[in-house]
Amino acid sequence: MQRIEFLNYPIGDQVPTLQWGYRIDGTDLRTYATDATRGLWRRERAEEDPVAEERFLLDQHDGLTLAEVGDPARHFLGDPAPDFVDPSDGTTPVLGCSCGVWACWPLRTTITTTPETVTWSAFRQPFRKQ
């Protein structure tokens, strides 16, 4: 079983807006997204500097703001506000685009709950074929 930790962190240095972050067994969810998409990005980008490549990959997603999520218990248990639901597959965004518009480049997941567990699975970026 994996454990998830929810945390809030500021967007940028000057803006007081907070956003949601997640650690799965101590690792930032954005790191998992980076690892999963590294090969796809390498086919599309000709980045020769490994440090710049890693920064680009880590910056492809950011958290959703506290104001966007509204009711975090409902959202992160798979019952988000209607604006967040993808009617084609019922997925919920857990990360948004680093540009500040969550729908620009969201990371969506299927959230399944039982009385004992909450499972986030089938992560996808809807603008990708894979």
Side-chain angles (χ1 to χ4, degrees):
M1 174 170 26
Q2 294 178 307
R3 300 190 70 80
I4 188 167
E5 175 187 0
F6 294 87
L7 55 124
N8 301 134
Y9 62 98
I11 298 172
D13 296 330
Q14 303 297 320
V15 181
T17 302
L18 294 176
Q19 59 189 348
W20 286 100
Y22 328 96
R23 291 188 190 123
I24 313 300
D25 292 335
T27 300
D28 192 316
L29 179 59
R30 295 172 299 175
T31 300
Y32 287 111
T34 294
D35 293 343
T37 60
R38 185 174 279 111
L40 294 169
W41 283 114
R42 282 192 177 147
R43 286 190 288 250
E44 295 176 17
R45 294 175 47 92
E47 186 66 64
E48 296 180 17
D49 177 3
V51 173
E53 177 187 58
E54 201 63 19
R55 176 61 21 209
F56 169 81
L57 291 170
L58 285 170
D59 286 345
Q60 68 180 310
H61 290 105
D62 224 335
L64 305 172
T65 68
L66 275 60
E68 287 173 323
V69 170
D71 184 346
R74 288 185 60 194
H75 187 94
F76 299 124
L77 291 174
D79 185 23
D83 291 347
F84 284 105
V85 176
D86 182 337
S88 69
D89 61 11
T91 58
T92 300
V94 291
L95 291 174
C97 185
S98 59
C99 77
V101 178
W102 75 265
C104 177
W105 195 253
L107 180 65
R108 302 184 74 87
T109 188
T110 300
I111 301 175
T112 309
T113 60
T114 71
E116 293 83 28
T117 63
V118 177
T119 303
W120 290 9
S121 62
F123 289 90
R124 70 182 190 85
Q125 202 298 320
F127 304 116
R128 286 274 190 202
K129 291 181 182 178
Q130 301 180 0

